[in-house]
Structure formats: structure tokens, C-alpha cells
């Protein structure tokens, strides 16, 4: 098992150009390319395990993929291929849930599975509403757990009112709605990330957005191909924003980061805690991209109970900021953390305790009292974001993170970048 060793850092002042491209948009770009009959051009696709698995799946479904400098050219098949083998999503819940919605209405038989972590994550949030509209889907525990099998069938139009603000659920249902036999509506209780709607609108899909409701018209013909540049992933960039916010006298500029408003809430929280953060050089129309400057300043505690869907992925990293702040910070309404790549409430609290930080677990969150980090050996629990959060904590006092290979799921060059701030290597 690999162990990542990180040494405490002295102050740094640097610019980072190579934050990994956005994972959410990369998955979508690979899958949505199949909705066209022409080649899609994707610049800056994320070459990490999760999104490369999606690309392989798209190839198994019949697409050809060519790489030219920093572009991927995905040419869809004239008809989706019925693959002879299982479609492997690896660690990615996004890929699995989006593909279930995408394939539910496609003629053919498909089996989707993933690694041992994904095999424990609930799929009924997409399987149940899809079955309601006529989808033929099964899996372990009555269709809740993978492997998931799909026999593509005709789908009825629907009105679906999701109880959770989940972009994965919304996206799966929008993809199914594109193949339904009439106009469908999908509503959510709070706006989740909106890349699916934005990208499909760009491709010419007929989607009307009315507040929290998406009205989706079925696709009458193939959509236009995608032509996009994918900005750097704000949830990956956030690890280094955190680094500058906790190492005294440090400053960082993070270049060409995706600044979609549904994705930068964690930066806003860090700002509220006292970090100096500025967005600069903003450009782009549909998905805006810009630079983020972060300067160290003393942090103070914060309470987090709203806009949780906009920062759910960054909560383990925010927990490190809480541990470095003065006062007690609390996270509530974040039960979703229990069904991410690991149970992130339990993983975060267990690791913080090992680092000598006083904290308490709630059913739907946790509280952390700011204190003095002490060097420890912590577990990644097979979860990339837990591994990277505690690697950044290592800049305070040194840290060993067991089972660190999972970082490759989303950010393969994370350790290279970290190593520019302080010694960091895997053993
Ligand atoms: C994602 C949506 C979020 C997020 C995940 C990526 C997406 O999950 O946590 O990392 O790309 O749609 P939920 O939709 O389950 O909230």
C-alpha cells in the first residue's frame, strides 16, 4: 500500500498553471458526445482515472477517440454499440448515475459496475425514478447496488420532483428525458451544479429552465457536436487555496479555474473565514474561467448549513481550514457526505482526531474546534478528497497518508504540485 509523506512547509508565493481539468465537465463531455452524429472537439479533457474510465466506456459504446495536442476528438457511432463486456466506471458515482440515465432509453443490453467503493453507493436515487417511467433496470439489493444491468426500453414522459439537490440525479433524468415520448419536467429543491443543462443547450437540445425546474423536450434528431474548452476543476484548485490559507505569509495564484457560481462556494466560505481571495481575468460565456488569488490571513470559525450542494465536495478540505481557525466551526445538513467515495463525515472526524484536533460527529455533519495540528499517519479510506485534504494539512506539521493512490481518480499531478510547496512523495 502506498503512503504519501508530506513535510511541513515554509511560506510560499507562487502561481499554479496546471490544476487538473474539471472532472464533472469531462465526464459529461465524453458521454454527451454520443448524442451527436458528428465529431466533438474537447480541449483540456481531464486525464485522470475517473474520466478516462468514462472515455473507455464511450469507446465500448462505439465511439472513436483521437487525441491531437490538447484536444480530444470523439466521433460517435451511427448507432450505440451493444458492448460485449461490462462497462467499468471505476470509482465514479457521476459516471455510473449519468450512464444509467443515458442508457435507460437506448436499444440494447448494458451492465455497469465499478470498484469496491462504488459498489456500496446507492443507485436507487436514479434507478427508482427511471423505473417509474418504464426503464428496465436491475442490480443487487433490488437495483440499488451495482453491478447494474439495463435493458434499454421506450420511456414515458414524466414530471419528476427530486427530494435531493443532486446534479447526478438531475442529469440522469435529463438524459432519459431526451429519449422519452413527450415533454418532461425535472425539479430540484435547490439548484445543483448546472453543467448538464448548459452543455446540452449548447448542443441544441430544447431545455427550458424555469427556476428550479427544467422542462426537457425529447431529441428529434442528433444534437450538434460539442466544441469546448474545459477549465481547471475548482474543487481540485481548492486544495491549494486551502494551502495558502493555512500556511502563514503564503500566497498563490491559481490559473484558468472554472468559476461557475455553483462550484465556487467553498472559496466564498474560506473568504468568510478571513482568507484574502480575489477572482481575476474572468472570461468565457457559458462556463466562465478565471484566476483565483489567495493570500494568507488568520482564519476564524464559521457555521455551514446552507448552500451545501454547492460545496459538498470541498467539505473535507474545509474541515482542515476549520481545524486551523480560531473557534468552533459546524457543518449541518450534509448527510450526503455519508454516501460519497467514502463516508466523509466519519473519515474526516477520525483523521482529525488522529491529528490531535478536537471534533464531534453529527448524523448530518460535524463540528471542529480550531487547534494545533500534530503530525500523524491517517487513512485515505480509498477516497481521493480525504487523501488530498490531509496531504494539505501536512503542510502545517508533516503527515503520512495511507493508501494515497486514490488521488489519481481526479488529480494525477496533485503530488507534483504539492512537492513545489514542500517535500511530498509516495513510498
Ligand atoms: C457531481 C455532482 C455531485 C458531486 C460529485 C460530482 C456531478 O454529486 O458531489 O462529485 O458531476 O454531477 P451529487 O449529484 O450526488 O450531489
Amino acid at each position: 500500500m502506498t503512503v504519501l509523506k508530506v513535510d511541513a512547509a515554509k511560506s510560499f508565493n507562487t502561481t499554479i498553471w496546471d490544476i487538473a481539468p474539471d472532472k464533472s465537465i469531462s465526464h459529461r463531455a465524453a458521454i454527451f458526445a454520443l448524442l451527436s452524429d458528428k465529431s466533438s472537439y474537447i480541449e483540456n479533457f481531464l486525464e485522470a482515472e475517473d474520466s478516462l474510465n468514462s472515455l473507455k466506456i464511450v469507446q465500448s459504446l462505439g465511439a472513436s477517440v483521437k487525441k491531437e495536442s490538447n484536444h480530444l476528438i470523439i466521433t460517435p457511432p451511427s448507432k450505440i454499440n451493444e458492448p460485449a463486456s461490462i462497462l467499468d466506471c471505476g470509482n465514479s458515482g457521476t459516471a455510473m448515475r449519468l450512464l444509467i440515465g443515458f442508457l435507460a432509453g437506448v436499444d440494447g443490453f448494458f451492465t455497469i459496475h465499478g470498484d469496491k467503493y462504488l459498489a456500496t453507493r446507492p443507485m436507487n436515487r436514479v434507478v427508482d425514478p427511471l423505473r417509474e417511467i418504464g426503464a428496465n433496470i436491475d442490480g443487487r439489493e433490488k437495483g440499488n447496488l451495482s453491478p447494474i444491468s439495463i435493458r434499454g426500453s421506450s420511456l414515458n414522459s414524466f414530471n419528476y420532483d427530486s427530494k435531493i439537490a443532486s446534479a447526478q440525479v438531475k442529469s440522469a433524468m435529463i438524459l432519459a428525458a431526451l429519449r422519452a415520448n413527450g415533454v418532461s419536467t425535472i425539479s430540484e429543491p435547490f439548484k445543483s451544479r448546472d453543467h448538464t443543462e448548459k452543455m446540452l443547450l449548447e448542443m441544441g437540445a430544447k431545455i427550458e429552465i424555469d427556476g428550479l425546474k427544467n422542462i426537457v423536450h425529447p431529441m428529434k434528431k442528433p444534437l450538434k457536436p460539442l466544441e469546448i474548452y474545459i477549465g481547471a476543476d475548482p474543487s481540485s484548485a481548492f486544495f491549494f487555496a486551502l494551502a495558502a490559507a493555512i500556511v502563514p505569509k503564503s500566497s498563490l495564484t491559481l490559473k484558468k479555474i472554472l468559476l461557475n457560481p455553483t462550484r465556487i462556494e467553498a472559496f466564498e466560505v474560506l473568504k468568510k473565514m478571513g482568507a484574502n481571495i480575489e477572482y481575476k481575468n474572468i472570461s468565457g460565456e457559458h462556463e466562465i474561467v478565471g484566476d483565483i488569488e489567495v493570500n494568507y490571513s488568520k482564519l476564524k470559525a464559521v457555521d455551514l448549513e446552507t448552500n451545501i450542494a454547492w460545496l459538498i465536495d470541498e467539505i473535507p478540505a474545509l474541515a482542515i481550514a476549520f481545524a486551523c481557525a480560531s473557534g468552533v466551526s459546524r457543518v449541518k445538513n450534509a448527510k450526503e457526505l455519508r454516501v460519497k467515495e467514502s463516508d466523509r463525515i466519519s473519515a474526516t472526524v477520525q483523521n482529525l482526531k488522529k491529528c490531535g484536533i478536537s471534533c464531534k460527529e453529527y448524523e448530518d455533519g460535524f463540528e471542529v474546534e480550531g487547534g494545533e495540528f500534530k503530525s500523524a499517519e491517517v487513512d485515505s479510506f480509498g477516497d481521493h478528497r480525504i487523501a488530498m485534504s490531509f496531504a494539505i494539512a501536512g503542510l502545517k506539521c508533516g503527515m503520512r497518508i495511507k493508501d494515497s493512490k486514490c488521488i489519481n481518480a481526479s488529480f494525477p499531478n496533485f503530488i507534483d504540485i504539492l512537492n513545489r510547496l514542500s517535500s511530498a512523495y509516495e513510498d
Side-chain angles (χ1 to χ4, degrees):
M1 183 186 284
T2 53
V3 177
L4 170 61
K5 295 174 183 162
V6 184
D7 285 349
K10 299 197 181 73
S11 63
F12 46 81
N13 179 349
T14 189
T15 298
I16 301 177
W17 286 89
D18 51 349
I19 296 291
D22 190 64
K23 184 151 78 79
S24 287
I25 298 185
S26 294
H27 281 302
R28 286 164 171 77
I31 298 169
F32 297 179
L34 293 172
L35 293 167
S36 181
D37 56 353
K38 299 194 179 61
S39 297
S40 284
Y41 289 78
I42 299 150
E43 191 180 346
N44 208 31
F45 183 86
L46 171 65
E47 294 188 27
E49 279 172 7
D50 274 12
S51 45
L52 288 174
N53 278 328
S54 286
L55 203 57
K56 268 195 224 139
I57 290 176
V58 164
Q59 283 173 295
S60 305
L61 295 172
S64 80
V65 178
K66 226 168 62 186
K67 195 173 169 193
E68 274 178 15
S69 62
N70 198 23
H71 277 79
L72 279 189
I73 303 171
I74 306 183
T75 306
S78 49
K79 180 180 183 297
I80 301 269
N81 180 44
E82 189 175 48
S85 50
I86 285 172
L87 304 172
D88 184 0
C89 295
N91 191 242
S92 174
T94 305
M96 188 171 278
R97 295 191 179 117
L98 265 60
L99 281 163
I100 294 174
F102 178 85
L103 292 170
V106 174
D107 185 28
F109 177 74
F110 311 91
T111 303
I112 314 183
H113 85 149
D115 66 13
K116 65 177 182 189
Y117 303 102
L118 186 51
T120 65
R121 297 182 61 191
M123 292 298 135
N124 51 3
R125 56 185 58 197
V126 293
V127 170
D128 290 350
L130 288 167
R131 278 177 169 163
E132 287 281 311
I133 61 168
N136 215 326
I137 306 177
D138 213 343
R140 288 183 304 129
E141 292 194 358
K142 302 191 170 130
N144 187 30
L145 299 181
S146 64
I148 295 286
S149 66
I150 301 163
R151 159 72 57 199
S153 54
S154 52
L155 303 176
N156 300 317
S157 58
F158 59 91
N159 299 314
Y160 182 62
D161 200 357
S162 177
K163 295 284 164 282
I164 48 173
S166 160
Q168 294 175 1
V169 172
K170 175 175 63 177
S171 303
M173 297 312 288
I174 291 177
L175 290 167
L178 290 176
R179 298 187 201 273
N181 65 1
V183 178
S184 301
T185 65
I186 298 119
S187 309
E188 51 185 348
F190 175 81
K191 191 175 171 72
S192 62
R193 63 188 70 186
D194 57 0
H195 310 304
T196 294
E197 305 86 299
K198 285 196 156 133
M199 291 169 76
L200 291 175
L201 279 168
E202 268 294 277
M203 294 176 78
K206 194 164 175 216
I207 301 178
E208 295 153 64
I209 301 171
D210 177 11
L212 297 173
K213 192 195 280 181
N214 286 286
I215 304 160
V216 184
H217 295 249
M219 232 169 48
K220 294 222 170 73
K221 54 180 184 7
L223 300 182
K224 287 188 286 185
L226 272 168
E227 232 174 272
I228 51 164
Y229 168 82
I230 303 181
D233 194 316
S235 50
S236 296
F238 189 71
F239 294 113
F240 291 99
L242 169 69
I246 64 172
V247 177
K249 298 191 187 134
S250 294
S251 61
L252 268 180
T253 301
L254 300 154
K255 298 297 278 188
K256 290 186 120 178
I257 311 299
L258 174 74
L259 296 180
N260 178 310
T262 65
R263 298 290 303 280
I264 54 168
E265 188 69 7
F267 293 89
E268 294 301 305
V269 170
L270 206 52
K271 222 173 174 176
K272 205 166 151 195
M273 293 178 73
N276 291 315
I277 298 187
E278 277 184 60
Y279 307 103
K280 296 202 163 150
N281 304 324
I282 299 173
S283 65
E285 266 174 70
H286 304 287
E287 289 287 12
I288 52 171
V289 169
D291 302 339
I292 305 180
E293 266 183 28
V294 188
N295 284 293
Y296 172 83
S297 163
K298 281 206 166 97
L299 299 178
K300 56 180 190 300
V302 75
D303 277 343
L304 275 189
E305 43 190 316
T306 54
N307 292 1
I308 297 296
W310 287 7
L311 45 67
I312 192 85
D313 291 341
E314 293 85 0
I315 289 178
L318 276 169
I320 306 299
F322 299 165
C324 298
S326 60
V328 177
S329 297
R330 290 177 196 85
V331 180
K332 288 188 178 152
N333 300 327
K335 209 169 168 188
E336 272 295 302
L337 287 171
R338 297 219 180 257
V339 289
K340 291 294 179 187
E341 285 83 330
S342 68
D343 174 342
R344 287 184 175 157
I345 294 178
S346 154
T348 303
V349 167
Q350 281 185 57
N351 280 349
L352 283 175
K353 283 185 176 162
K354 279 196 184 153
C355 298
I357 299 295
S358 148
C359 47
K360 206 188 309 167
E361 186 169 333
Y362 311 138
E363 190 42 36
D364 65 343
F366 50 81
E367 68 172 50
V368 179
E369 187 179 346
E372 204 53 43
F373 258 105
K374 71 170 203 271
S375 181
E377 180 165 277
V378 296
D379 202 328
S380 72
F381 297 88
D383 184 334
H384 56 138
R385 295 197 203 278
I386 298 291
M388 291 187 275
S389 300
F390 283 86
I392 297 295
L395 296 175
K396 291 293 278 181
C397 58
M399 195 74 71
R400 292 162 57 89
I401 299 102
K402 290 193 287 183
D403 196 7
S404 53
K405 279 275 171 257
C406 51
I407 290 173
N408 292 328
S410 61
F411 200 167
N413 58 332
F414 171 80
I415 298 172
D416 288 349
I417 301 177
L418 187 57
N419 200 38
R420 291 179 217 150
L421 308 185
S422 183
S423 163
Y425 62 95
E426 279 183 316
D427 217 1

